[in-house]
Amino acid sequence: MFRQLLSDDLPRSRMLSALLLLTFFGLAAAPFITSGARPLNTAATICIYIILVASYDLLLGYTGIVSFAHTMFFGIGAYGVGLALSSGTPGWGVIIIGILLALILTVALALMIGLFALRVRAIFYSMITLAVASSFAVLASQLSDLTGGEDGITFRVPEILTPGFQLFENDIFGRTVDGKVITYYIVFSICVLLFLFLLRVVNSPFGRVLQAIRENEFRAEALGYRTVVYRVLANCLAALLAALAGALMALWLRYVGPKTMLSFEVMTDILLIVVIGGMGTLYGAVIGAALFIIAQNYLKNLMAQGSEALVDFPILAQIFHPDRWMLWLGVLFILSVYFFPTGIVGKLRGGLRQR
């Protein structure tokens, strides 16, 4: 049953299995093993980014498509939920309508980009997606009456998801099960289901064809596969999953804005996580997202503590000053690429693909 659940795609490494189990149970129990808002926000962000990065890896790692429009679809899903909830009484029906409209727009744009752009090769397709995504971000910023412009929009959610709602009168394991905890488990559960769905996709005959296209598109065509159709379908599927991830992020934050959802910084984060975890393996999205988001949220605090401990050594204290956390994050990324050229998961699996 466990093999079927993972679509027969087992980790094939004891260390990797241990890391995946640690990540899964850590995220599953996050509300009860941590205290405060920041750890729970970090855990929810990891869950959402696992789906966002895994959906992008479906394009980059499994199909060989380099796209910069992934944040656009992420933003469409987020704005779909945000605009729906901000325009009326918050309710589950409104959320579903917002998500459905966002998914329809996502499919339409993904089809347009795919049909018109996937016929060109490599860098030309990447530039087209970058131009489309940039135009969409500018449009979202300028339509201030609708989207709130650069400030974005905040909105209310159904009462059961608000911090003031309590599911039980008594605490469970020292934690009040309020609306925020309920929202977290909704996000966690949906992300688990979407990840298992992605595992099923990449290990299906459809996924095998995508890998064949990545390795040698001309040979795949010679075997009778319509590669453009498969690439367009992969583009649409990845876009839909990114939009769902965006909807979950909006529901969690109760806010949408261009900097949070549509900025190129989000795209670079996705690329970094894919490289750190390993391309062409969905488990890389799990490990990479967990490590990257934790480092992004806690490296600065760790450096502040280190700088205080090194106060007697002024030079070292300045080197590890918390204001330089981005520098050290870059150093950690360079080291990870140097020691794990195929990504962490690729290394743990014995360097499955030498690219």
Side-chain angles (χ1 to χ4, degrees):
M1 181 179 177
F2 189 66
R3 278 179 170 271
Q4 292 179 341
L5 193 64
L6 297 179
S7 302
D8 206 29
D9 189 1
L10 300 178
R12 301 198 297 277
S13 164
R14 290 183 179 180
M15 179 63 74
L16 178 57
S17 299
L19 289 174
L20 290 172
L21 287 173
L22 179 65
T23 303
F24 175 78
F25 287 113
L27 291 174
F32 302 104
I33 61 176
T34 61
S35 60
R38 189 173 188 182
L40 194 60
N41 182 64
T42 301
T45 305
I46 290 172
C47 292
I48 294 166
Y49 264 73
I50 286 173
I51 300 305
L52 181 61
V53 173
S55 63
Y56 186 73
D57 197 36
L58 179 66
L59 289 179
L60 181 61
Y62 284 90
T63 318
I65 298 173
V66 181
S67 170
F68 292 116
H70 217 56
T71 49
M72 178 181 73
F73 301 122
F74 182 64
I76 289 173
Y79 273 99
V81 171
L83 291 174
L85 286 173
S86 64
S87 60
T89 303
W92 295 107
V94 174
I95 293 174
I96 292 172
I97 291 172
I99 292 175
L100 288 176
L101 291 176
L103 293 181
I104 291 171
L105 179 59
T106 295
V107 171
L109 287 175
L111 274 173
M112 288 176 57
I113 294 173
L115 292 174
F116 289 104
L118 279 175
R119 296 179 182 276
V120 299
R121 304 295 178 186
I123 190 66
F124 302 105
Y125 174 74
S126 301
M127 292 300 99
I128 291 172
T129 57
L130 179 61
V132 173
S134 299
S135 300
F136 192 87
V138 171
L139 187 65
S141 299
Q142 291 184 346
L143 295 176
S144 56
D145 292 339
L146 179 65
T147 65
E150 292 290 343
D151 295 330
I153 52 176
T154 56
F155 48 87
R156 294 180 299 157
V157 293
E159 184 182 358
I160 193 175
L161 304 181
T162 59
F165 178 86
Q166 291 189 16
L167 187 61
F168 305 109
E169 292 184 3
N170 300 321
D171 292 354
I172 296 179
F173 299 114
R175 180 91 183 204
T176 302
V177 182
D178 56 12
K180 204 65 176 174
V181 174
I182 294 172
T183 307
Y184 174 79
Y185 278 111
I186 290 174
V187 170
F188 174 77
S189 301
I190 293 175
C191 287
V192 169
L193 292 175
L194 291 177
F195 185 79
L196 293 176
F197 170 73
L198 269 170
L199 276 178
R200 179 71 66 182
V201 169
V202 299
N203 290 287
S204 67
F206 174 77
R208 301 301 181 195
V209 174
L210 295 183
Q211 294 174 59
I213 293 171
R214 177 199 65 204
E215 298 298 336
N216 193 316
E217 185 175 351
F218 295 107
R219 186 174 296 176
E221 284 185 359
L223 291 172
Y225 295 108
R226 300 180 64 183
T227 56
V228 172
V229 173
Y230 278 91
R231 284 157 63 92
V232 169
L233 288 176
N235 192 52
C236 291
L237 182 57
L240 284 171
L241 290 165
L244 288 173
L248 291 175
M249 180 63 87
L251 198 61
W252 173 254
L253 295 177
R254 289 178 290 169
Y255 164 82
V256 290
K259 185 172 178 60
T260 308
M261 309 297 177
L262 295 169
S263 70
F264 193 72
E265 292 179 12
V266 178
M267 191 68 241
T268 56
D269 288 348
I270 296 171
L271 288 168
L272 289 174
I273 294 170
V274 169
V275 173
I276 292 170
M279 289 188 291
T281 166
L282 296 183
Y283 295 125
V286 178
I287 304 300
L291 291 176
F292 185 84
I293 300 300
I294 289 173
Q296 200 175 48
N297 282 273
Y298 291 102
L299 182 60
K300 188 173 182 179
N301 290 350
L302 186 63
M303 288 181 62
Q305 294 175 8
S307 181
E308 291 176 4
L310 295 170
V311 68
D312 294 331
F313 305 93
I315 296 177
L316 290 177
Q318 284 298 316
I319 291 175
F320 290 100
H321 194 277
D323 289 344
R324 294 181 175 84
W325 74 275
M326 283 291 288
L327 169 65
W328 286 103
L329 186 63
V331 170
L332 291 175
F333 172 71
I334 293 170
L335 290 175
S336 69
V337 172
Y338 181 79
F339 289 106
F340 305 99
T342 57
I344 294 173
V345 172
K347 182 74 172 179
L348 293 177
R349 279 181 160 182
L352 293 180
R353 294 188 187 92
Q354 298 295 329
R355 295 188 180 277

